[in-house]
Amino acid sequence: MALSTSASSTTALITAFLLLLRLSSALKDSGSDKLPKSDVDLLEFPLNLEYFEAEFFSWGALGGGLDTFAPNLTMGGPSPIGARKARLSPHIKDIIAQFALQEFGHLRAIQKTVPGFPRPLLNLSAESFATVMNNAFEKPLQPSFDPYANDINYLLASYVIPYVGLTGYVGANPKLKSPTSKRLVAGLLGVESGQDAVLRTLLYQRAFVKVYPYEFTVAEFTDRISSLRNKLGKKGLKDEGLIVKPVQGAEGRISGNVLAGDQDSLSFDRTPEEILRIVYGSGNENQPGGFYPKGGDGRIAKSHLRRQIRNF
């Protein structure tokens, strides 16, 4: 009887051990190494914009980028062109420095989940931003716009790209299949939307201030930039400035627009193709340029670059 009890206990222990092994294997299979390929593509694509934000914010506030503060995150990609420290007040500098460090974390979080790719070549020169502003106003601004000149210029330059990444996360989320992917994107979107809210609030406080030495106010700049992004994206209204017609504001009742959203005040969404059209400045996902002289990286961006070569 004692032997039978001992044998039963041993059998129970072995069964429990096998169950633990199966559970461990199941958990591993649900991890990042088993993400659907479509999820990997959608998670890698935002690295293009996360690299941009990390470099622009870090250089603007700290006077150096990933090569100085987190070289392991570059994965060997080329250093950005024309980035430099901005002339910022202590308060704005502190906020932008926080953004920079947050972007370092975003890069690390994505790279821990998917293979990732090296930092693409980025053109963060004053001339690159000036081109965007000239296109937004449909004429050359005189003197040429300098994003690094002061608080207002830098905040307006910060308005140009980061919000585009936010809409990309909104667009990607319903297409993701894995809980791991959805959790990562939700975490990224939470902080990215917070950054956008801070930037828009800082600009909204200055909405009717003229951007020296131009005749246009901060609100007019944001309206022009948003209109340009809508035009380049080619998918209708997915962008709004700080001041809108009351019918376009929250519940169709207010012109102040500190946060952009649709008729139900939900964030707008964009596809990778729309994003490429905007950040390339060409209105064509197959035609690189603007902030990405050689185009973006990752399977999605590269598939469009290969299409350009085939059509050449």
Side-chain angles (χ1 to χ4, degrees):
M1 186 70 176
L3 287 174
S4 177
T5 302
S6 177
S8 297
S9 298
T10 301
T11 301
L13 284 171
I14 292 172
T15 301
F17 179 71
L18 291 173
L19 286 172
L20 284 172
L21 285 178
R22 288 181 182 178
L23 177 60
S24 175
S25 177
L27 289 172
K28 182 179 178 182
D29 289 345
S30 66
S32 61
D33 56 329
K34 294 297 182 180
L35 291 180
K37 191 174 186 306
S38 59
D39 278 20
V40 173
D41 292 340
L42 288 169
L43 291 178
E44 283 190 328
F45 180 78
L47 281 172
N48 288 296
L49 276 73
E50 297 288 358
Y51 277 124
F52 177 102
E53 294 175 40
E55 292 291 359
F56 184 60
F57 291 146
S58 184
W59 272 99
L62 306 174
L66 290 170
D67 292 320
T68 301
F69 300 108
N72 59 305
L73 296 177
T74 70
M75 298 181 69
S79 300
I81 300 168
R84 58 186 172 88
K85 190 173 185 179
R87 291 190 285 272
L88 303 177
S89 65
H91 179 61
I92 300 300
K93 178 181 177 181
D94 176 62
I95 291 172
I96 299 303
Q98 292 178 49
F99 286 2
L101 297 175
Q102 291 163 5
E103 296 304 330
F104 292 1
H106 289 181
L107 287 171
R108 185 171 59 254
I110 296 173
Q111 291 174 0
K112 285 194 309 186
T113 307
V114 293
F117 51 77
R119 172 183 56 194
L121 181 63
L122 298 166
N123 184 353
L124 303 182
S125 66
E127 291 76 16
S128 186
F129 284 93
T131 297
V132 172
M133 298 306 182
N134 290 344
N135 290 338
F137 284 94
E138 299 181 325
K139 67 177 183 180
L141 295 182
Q142 297 295 338
S144 187
F145 182 86
D146 180 359
Y148 301 105
N150 51 55
D151 283 356
I152 288 182
N153 283 26
Y154 191 83
L155 291 172
L156 286 170
S158 298
Y159 182 89
V160 170
I161 290 298
Y163 172 74
V164 179
L166 183 162
T167 59
Y169 284 131
V170 176
N173 193 52
K175 300 176 183 177
L176 296 170
K177 300 175 182 177
S178 164
T180 298
S181 304
K182 293 179 180 179
R183 183 166 57 249
L184 175 60
V185 165
L188 292 164
L189 180 57
V191 174
E192 292 288 339
S193 60
Q195 291 178 353
D196 180 63
V198 171
L199 289 170
R200 290 182 72 99
T201 298
L202 290 170
L203 289 167
Y204 190 71
Q205 291 170 339
R206 301 160 171 81
F208 300 109
V209 174
K210 285 194 175 182
V211 181
Y212 181 82
Y214 311 110
E215 60 186 76
F216 307 106
T217 65
V218 167
E220 288 174 303
F221 264 85
T222 64
D223 183 62
R224 293 286 189 141
I225 294 167
S226 288
S227 294
L228 176 64
R229 292 191 297 216
N230 284 326
K231 177 182 176 182
L232 292 172
K234 298 180 179 179
K235 286 293 183 178
L237 177 65
K238 294 192 175 182
D239 222 303
E240 296 173 335
L242 297 173
I243 306 295
V244 295
K245 295 176 181 178
V247 70
Q248 291 179 303
E251 295 299 290
R253 299 180 183 181
I254 195 165
S255 61
N257 198 42
V258 70
L259 294 179
D262 65 13
Q263 62 184 8
D264 295 318
S265 291
L266 301 178
S267 294
F268 294 107
D269 66 289
R270 283 191 170 102
T271 64
E273 289 70 28
E274 291 172 68
I275 290 172
L276 292 173
R277 293 168 199 157
I278 293 168
V279 300
Y280 289 173
S282 62
N284 186 339
E285 62 270 30
N286 304 321
Q287 185 179 335
F291 297 112
Y292 296 81
K294 295 184 178 180
D297 207 335
R299 194 196 68 80
I300 294 175
K302 280 187 171 180
S303 70
H304 294 293
L305 294 178
R306 286 193 291 269
R307 192 169 303 165
Q308 180 210 30
I309 293 172
R310 288 198 300 270
N311 294 338
F312 183 72

